[in-house]
Amino acid sequence: MPGTPPTRFVYLGPEGTFTEAALRTIPAAEHGLRTPARSVPEALEAVRTGDADAALVPLENSVGGAVPVTLDELVTGSPLIITREVVIPVEFVLAARSLTPLAGLRSIAAHPQASAQCRGWLRANVPDAVVVDVLSNAAAAISAAKGEQDAALCAPIGVSRNGLAVLADKVADRADAVTRFALLTRPGPPAEPTGDDVTSLAVSIRHDQVGALLSVLTELAVRGINLSRIESRPTGEQLGTYVFFLDCTGHVAEPRFGEALQGLRRICADVRFLGSYPRHRLTPEAPVASPRGLSNTDFADSANWLARIRAGEFS
């Protein structure tokens, strides 16, 4: 991360959630000040006003999709930049105040997203239990600890914090589910490219132009930039107007990406740069190779060739 490393972190709370678990994987955050926020807007506003150096908020889940409030917040207010992404497995546990047979459970506290990701498991293993909606995974653990409900679906971090006993671990319908979080700071120079980076953008297309979205995608494709994610959100201005969130392979410092950004700037109604940062991979995996003629080396070679021509050097 460029500049002075952050020491004051805010995250989507309360304590004992997957967001806190994700934040604690960042060494600087593990040793820094960590403050929970009541909402994503509150967390990001703390960074904007200088009350915190960085905020970690959920961006998307592999099962539930994007987190709309985070996307909306990224395109409103003063700019913030993603400097890091954190991807962690979403492994729910079923926990209670003491070891209890599953057949004896009558009520289970769970955040709606948690119960949605565990619906099949719950139906197969505790069909007679009523799922009671709560505001967070942490609130579910607290509810079970207080005896308000017989058990809780919660994050593993909530078990020891509330003195619970695990009745079942890795409770989920999809064992490979993950959640992606974004660490946001106030704008500053991006870190140096690593060779396996992501650049996030928010673009608004011209709605009076036929093929406007195709033109956006073409600016990326002709430069060998892989689009790993595209998501649309309504602007709220009028029906049919959207902002598109793009995650692309590459770094703003690379010549080909710089060319693409200039192209997008020319053809789009608005482009908001949301950051270039290292890709977080849970397992070792080689980056997607650029097509022949579209690598960073190819772009640098063609730029040098043009510079020689402009200088009158033809040898």
Side-chain angles (χ1 to χ4, degrees):
M1 191 179 299
T4 304
T7 59
R8 300 173 302 155
F9 296 84
V10 64
Y11 64 94
L12 176 62
E15 296 178 349
T17 61
F18 284 107
T19 309
E20 184 191 6
L23 180 63
R24 298 190 69 162
T25 67
I26 301 174
E30 179 66 14
H31 301 290
L33 176 65
R34 301 181 301 275
T35 304
R38 292 171 296 182
S39 65
V40 169
E42 181 179 284
L44 299 189
E45 188 61 22
V47 178
R48 289 185 168 114
T49 60
D51 291 334
D53 301 322
L56 190 78
V57 294
L59 196 58
E60 63 174 326
N61 177 268
S62 60
V63 177
V67 179
V69 64
T70 300
L71 298 184
D72 292 343
E73 283 295 312
L74 289 177
V75 293
T76 57
S78 56
L80 293 173
I81 299 296
I82 300 173
T83 58
R84 185 173 187 148
E85 68 174 7
V86 178
V87 181
I88 63 170
V90 178
E91 297 180 347
F92 294 101
V93 298
L94 184 67
R97 286 200 291 183
S98 60
L99 291 176
T100 305
L102 297 185
L105 299 179
R106 291 295 175 262
S107 63
I108 298 173
H111 184 274
Q113 191 173 68
S115 58
Q117 293 187 46
C118 304
R119 185 178 295 113
W121 190 96
L122 293 171
R123 186 166 54 244
N125 293 276
V126 283
D128 297 328
V130 175
V131 176
V132 179
D133 288 348
V134 293
L135 294 176
S136 67
N137 294 307
I142 292 170
S143 178
K146 290 181 176 180
E148 296 171 347
Q149 310 300 337
D150 294 341
L153 269 182
C154 62
I157 192 175
V159 174
S160 58
R161 184 158 291 175
N162 293 281
L164 299 176
V166 175
L167 306 183
D169 61 2
K170 299 184 185 303
V171 176
D173 295 342
R174 291 179 177 267
D176 55 352
V178 298
T179 295
R180 178 184 176 216
F181 299 84
L183 185 70
L184 292 120
T185 68
R186 291 180 293 280
E192 293 296 316
T194 67
D196 188 14
D197 300 292
V198 179
T199 294
S200 295
L201 307 168
V203 302
S204 299
I205 63 175
R206 302 187 188 282
H207 297 279
D208 57 352
Q209 177 182 329
V210 176
L213 181 56
L214 177 60
S215 298
V216 169
L217 303 180
T218 300
E219 290 290 339
L220 303 174
V222 298
R223 294 176 176 87
I225 296 172
N226 183 47
L227 182 64
S228 58
R229 172 175 166 267
I230 181 170
E231 188 93 20
S232 65
R233 287 289 298 159
T235 63
E237 297 172 358
Q238 63 183 46
L239 190 65
T241 59
Y242 297 89
V243 59
F244 292 87
F245 292 87
L246 312 178
D247 281 344
C248 314
T249 58
H251 193 284
V252 67
E254 297 168 351
R256 62 177 177 152
F257 212 102
E259 284 189 15
L261 276 181
Q262 292 179 64
L264 294 177
R265 172 70 176 176
R266 291 193 300 270
I267 66 172
C268 293
D270 185 55
V271 179
R272 179 172 280 207
F273 174 73
L274 299 177
S276 289
Y277 47 92
R279 183 187 303 276
H280 184 156
R281 295 188 183 275
L282 289 174
T283 57
E285 185 180 343
V288 177
S290 302
R292 182 178 177 85
L294 295 176
S295 69
N296 289 324
T297 301
D298 295 324
F299 270 80
D301 180 68
S302 62
N304 291 333
W305 172 78
L306 179 59
R308 290 195 301 271
I309 289 177
R310 287 172 171 170
E313 300 171 5
F314 293 89
S315 57

